[in-house]
Each structure stands twice: as C-alpha cells, then as structure tokens.
Amino acid sequence: MALNIVLVEPEIPQNAGNIARTCAVTGSKLHMVRPLGFEVSDKYLKRAGLDYWHLVDISYYDSIEEVMDKFYNGNNFWFFSTKAKQIHSDAKYKDGDFLVFGKETKGLPESLLEKHYDECVRLPMLNETRSLNLSNSVCVGVYEALRQLDYLGLQTKGEIPKK
C-alpha cells in the first residue's frame, strides 16, 4: 500500500506538477478534485512533473464528498489546514492514509474542517505568515508520514559512485 494525496481544487499547474513528482518518487497515489485551475495537458504541469508522469497513479473526482464516500473510514484522513490545532508531526499516520490539501487561495472548505476538526493538522510557521506553498506543504506532510512508516520500502541509503 502507500499514501494517498488529495488535492481539492488545485489552481496552479506548477504546484500540481511538483506534487505529482513527489507522488511518483514516494509511490503515493494522487487524487485530484475538480474543478482544476488548469488543463491536465498544461505545459507547466507537465514540465514540473518532468518525466515522472508514467509513475504517477492519478484519479479525478467531482467533489471531496465523492472521495470521502469512496474511501473515508473514520480514521484514515488527515486534513491539512493553517486553522488546525494539532501539528502534523503529532498525528499518527498509517499505511494507506489520505492527506488532504485545499486550493492555494482558500485552503479547504470551512464546513469540512469543522466536521473533521480532530483530524486536521497544521504545519508550524510564524504568526505573521499566511501559509506555505502548496507543493512544499504536501512534501512536508508526505515525508513526515513516510518517516513514521519507516519509509515504506523506499531507498533510504545512497552510495557515492566510485570513479
């Protein structure tokens, strides 16, 4: 199994491309909730994902409710928000969990956050800042979850090539 990354109405193709690349290198599945702020054929989306697109498992949905109706079991979704009380590294991630991120300009819907407040997590940042870039936030969340899961079979040691 692997992690599931959910992007709710992403707006910037470069962010989505970077997130797709993160999914490719970590074996995470990408779930994209429409409307998307770009076409999936966008050159910036493709460029940001480089040549990793064939490694990304992507599904598309028409609403976050559709995703939740299909996969939510009461303890397998984590909603990333600047409004959460719990820090992302305090959550206890499980193999197969869903990490849910909102659109760049507004985040996740307030009604969703209110309904699942105990499943919301935040990335620590200075009070005078608004938020971290979406693709960076996803990367931080994914790698914290993977760290807790002993990196789910990912290569964790490298070697310097001998000349």
Side-chain angles (χ1 to χ4, degrees):
M1 227 184 206
L3 295 174
N4 292 278
I5 308 309
V6 181
L7 301 182
V8 179
E9 302 178 12
E11 300 167 308
I12 301 173
Q14 294 91 332
N15 282 337
N18 287 335
I19 292 163
R21 186 172 177 181
T22 296
C23 289
V25 302
T26 62
S28 300
K29 180 169 174 46
L30 180 57
H31 306 264
M32 296 179 101
V33 177
R34 297 179 191 100
L36 308 179
F38 48 85
E39 296 294 324
V40 293
S41 60
D42 187 289
K43 68 179 180 178
Y44 298 108
L45 174 75
K46 296 294 183 187
R47 185 180 304 147
L50 290 177
D51 57 350
Y52 291 96
W53 286 103
H54 68 286
L55 299 173
V56 185
D57 184 0
I58 306 177
S59 296
Y60 299 92
Y61 305 88
D62 292 320
S63 69
I64 184 60
E65 292 78 19
E66 183 181 354
V67 177
M68 294 188 68
D69 287 347
K70 188 170 183 176
F71 300 108
Y72 183 71
N73 70 16
N75 70 350
N76 64 332
F77 273 59
W78 296 101
F79 303 92
F80 282 71
S81 171
T82 59
K83 300 169 181 77
K85 64 180 176 184
Q86 182 176 197
I87 295 173
H88 77 291
S89 54
D90 290 340
K92 303 298 180 218
Y93 301 98
K94 300 172 300 307
D95 189 8
D97 274 359
F98 287 73
L99 283 59
V100 184
F101 299 84
K103 65 170 93 180
E104 289 90 341
T105 56
K106 296 183 181 178
L108 292 168
E110 294 277 337
S111 58
L112 181 68
L113 298 175
E114 289 171 5
K115 187 174 180 181
H116 298 280
Y117 192 63
D118 290 336
E119 300 157 273
C120 292
V121 295
R122 66 178 289 118
L123 300 177
M125 37 188 141
L126 295 174
N127 286 333
E128 58 270 12
T129 59
R130 189 170 54 89
S131 64
L132 189 62
N133 173 276
L134 178 61
S135 63
N136 292 332
S137 296
V138 171
C139 197
V140 169
V142 166
Y143 273 94
E144 172 57 25
L146 289 171
R147 183 193 66 78
Q148 289 185 23
L149 298 169
D150 292 325
Y151 296 102
L152 288 172
L154 299 178
Q155 178 184 348
T156 58
K157 294 181 181 176
E159 291 185 20
I160 299 172
K162 298 199 185 334
K163 292 184 180 180

